[in-house]
Amino acid sequence: MVRTVGTTARGIRTPIVKKGDDLVNIVVDSLLLAANSENFHINDRDVLGITESLLARAQGNYATADIIGKDIESKFPSTIGLVFPILSRNRFSIILKGIISSGRKVVLLLSYPSDEVGNHLMDIDKMDELKINPYTDVLTESDYRKLFGEKVVHPFTGVDYVNVYKEIGKENIEIIFSNDPRTILNYTKDILVANVHDRHRTKRILKEAGANLVYGLDDILNSPIDSSGYNPEYGVLGSNLSSDHELKLFPRDCQVFVESVQSKIKEKAGKNIEVMIYGDGAFKDPVGKIWELADPVVSPGYTKGLEGTPNELKLKYIVDTELDALRGDEVIQAVKKKINTKNNHMVAKEESLGTTPRRLTDLLGSLCDLTSGSGDKGTPIVLIQGYFDNYATE
């Protein structure tokens, strides 16, 4: 039979998961039930993605703003320089509430015209008109309001994030705008680095510039306080709002979990599949300019078969060049032969030009994130089939 379908992604519904639930069995049973009811087969090298929030919820990995405040209080003796947080009610507002609850004054340094993941505070054309130099100019909150207006709302969310953060901090927060993290040292030497992907560089720059204390959000709640949730590697990075006073943290022990699911599926279905935990996808919205990835990584845990990057030929390149004279079944057979005899390391080869040189987990995690969505679809696990197949696979 001629193969007519390549990669497919299915969202798999599960029961509502709560703290203490046996998530390994819930995931496996949900997959097997879906396969039976929808009449599809589970195959070797299928990929099963489980959203990070499902594992964190089953672990009960939560923390309140007050608990964050306790950790902050233990680490910072006085004024805190809070550097480059993302603009988010979901991601950062509760963390800021916790920091403020410590009683410490906060000097909040915001990057501009946007945060690290593309949420804009300022219109770039307006910046050009005002001749603002983002590489050198430092703005106070008063400067910002005079130049851009008393209400500057995000185009997608309709939220004025400067006002949101000001309201949380009240009289205990001062907001400034600069793209040089060393600006904060004019206000305090005790720093909490809040950016996600560039945090290690930001910490290094500040330490080299003479900062006294330098912590990151990955250093906050990296161990439990009063039996709270925690994450030893990421702290409160990757956390999400759970209520107006509580956060769900990034899950722990992901490697143990994915290997347990892999083993259980082998036991029950007799198939060797790959398993991963996924959070945000790694892609950019060309309209809103937001880079989706606010988690520290796309996948905090995955089985061994998902290591590495794709090793693929660019079909349209070889069809339009060396196989240009062939037609019909002749070109099909030539393409399949080319695939079956390709080099094991295609990086920098002409035949691979235009393929995506990204980690498999980043590509697969993005597909999972787009399939499951972030709303009410109710499919927190995703089965991807045929991902490792190609045009020559029968």
Side-chain angles (χ1 to χ4, degrees), residues 141-160:
E141 184 183 354
S142 177
D143 294 331
Y144 173 71
R145 290 306 183 189
K146 286 176 184 176
L147 293 167
F148 294 97
E150 289 302 316
K151 189 171 180 62
V152 183
V153 299
H154 189 280
F156 278 10
T157 65
V159 173
D160 184 328

Side-chain angles (χ1 to χ4, degrees), residues 313 315 318-319 323 326 329-341 390-392:
L313 293 172
L315 285 190
I318 61 173
V319 168
L323 304 182
L326 303 181
D329 188 62
E330 191 177 19
V331 71
I332 292 173
Q333 296 308 316
V335 165
K336 289 182 177 181
K337 180 178 180 181
K338 190 79 176 174
I339 292 172
N340 287 329
T341 58
N390 55 49
Y391 192 67

Side-chain angles (χ1 to χ4, degrees), residues 20 48 129 167 175 262 300 320 345 354 383:
L48 188 67
E129 178 187 324
E167 283 297 307
I175 301 176
Q262 184 183 53
D320 289 344
H345 302 284
L383 178 68

Side-chain angles (χ1 to χ4, degrees), residues 40 67 69 79 104 112 128 159 174 195 229 244 259 265-266 291 293 309 312 335 345 369 375 387:
F40 64 83
I67 288 295
T79 300
R104 308 298 188 250
Y112 72 91
D128 292 341
V159 173
E174 178 180 357
N195 56 353
D244 63 357
E259 290 174 3
I265 290 173
K266 174 66 174 175
W291 185 32
L293 184 57
T309 59
E312 299 177 343
V335 165
H345 302 284
D369 186 32
Y387 190 81

Side-chain angles (χ1 to χ4, degrees), residues 5 26 39 41 78 87 115 132 148 175 177 198 235 247 266 271 288 353:
V5 176
I26 288 173
N39 196 30
H41 298 286
S78 58
L87 305 172
D115 67 7
I132 295 172
F148 294 97
I175 301 176
F177 303 81
D198 291 333
L247 284 172
K266 174 66 174 175
K271 300 297 180 179
L353 288 174

Side-chain angles (χ1 to χ4, degrees), residues 42 58-59 87 94 98 103 110 123 134 194 201 213 227 239 256 260 301-302 343 347 350 388 390 394:
I42 299 167
Q59 293 172 340
L87 305 172
I94 302 300
L110 296 175
D123 181 89
R201 178 175 182 268
L213 296 174
S227 302
S239 60
V256 172
S260 296
Y302 49 88
N343 190 297
V347 175
E350 283 189 353
F388 295 104
N390 55 49
E394 299 298 337

Side-chain angles (χ1 to χ4, degrees), residues 13 372-379:
R13 291 186 177 180
S372 64
S374 58
D376 58 7
K377 292 185 185 300
T379 55

